Amino acid sequence: MEQEGFFGKEPLELKGVSYLADTILLLRFFEHRGEVRRAISVVKKRGCDHEKTIRELTISGKGLSIGEPLVEMQGVLTGVPTLAV
């Protein structure tokens, strides 16, 4: 499914797609400390429970790396995170 724009509060519309997929991953860009970063989370996994955390995704010359859960931040999926209280 195509993402319109990079940042902002965009509604997550899974109508028409959700029933076709066994697993849906949400990839988002977010700004943190003057850098554009990527976040990844599992929105749906059919047939079993799944992890519900949001983690940073890093792409480098060595490949993909998935970091620890972003538990100290909120608003990552909107593209403009703040420190969680």
Side-chain angles (χ1 to χ4, degrees):
M1 194 159 108
E2 182 180 358
Q3 176 178 324
E4 306 247 341
F6 288 109
F7 301 102
K9 294 181 180 180
E10 300 167 19
L12 181 60
E13 282 288 332
L14 297 176
K15 292 180 184 174
V17 176
S18 179
Y19 74 95
L20 293 173
D22 288 331
T23 303
I24 297 176
L25 298 177
L26 180 60
L27 303 172
R28 293 292 294 199
F29 290 101
F30 68 99
E31 178 186 354
H32 182 62
R33 297 187 179 194
E35 292 183 349
V36 177
R37 298 182 179 194
R38 296 172 187 90
I40 186 168
S41 60
V42 179
V43 177
K44 171 191 168 188
K45 181 158 176 44
R46 189 183 317 247
C48 65
D49 198 19
H50 60 83
E51 184 174 334
K52 295 170 178 64
T53 62
I54 301 167
R55 295 174 177 258
E56 185 170 4
L57 172 67
T58 305
I59 303 172
S60 69
K62 296 180 180 180
L64 297 176
S65 175
I66 297 179
E68 294 298 315
L70 299 172
V71 296
E72 296 182 6
M73 302 172 82
Q74 62 185 29
V76 172
L77 298 183
T78 68
V80 186
T82 58
L83 291 177
V85 192

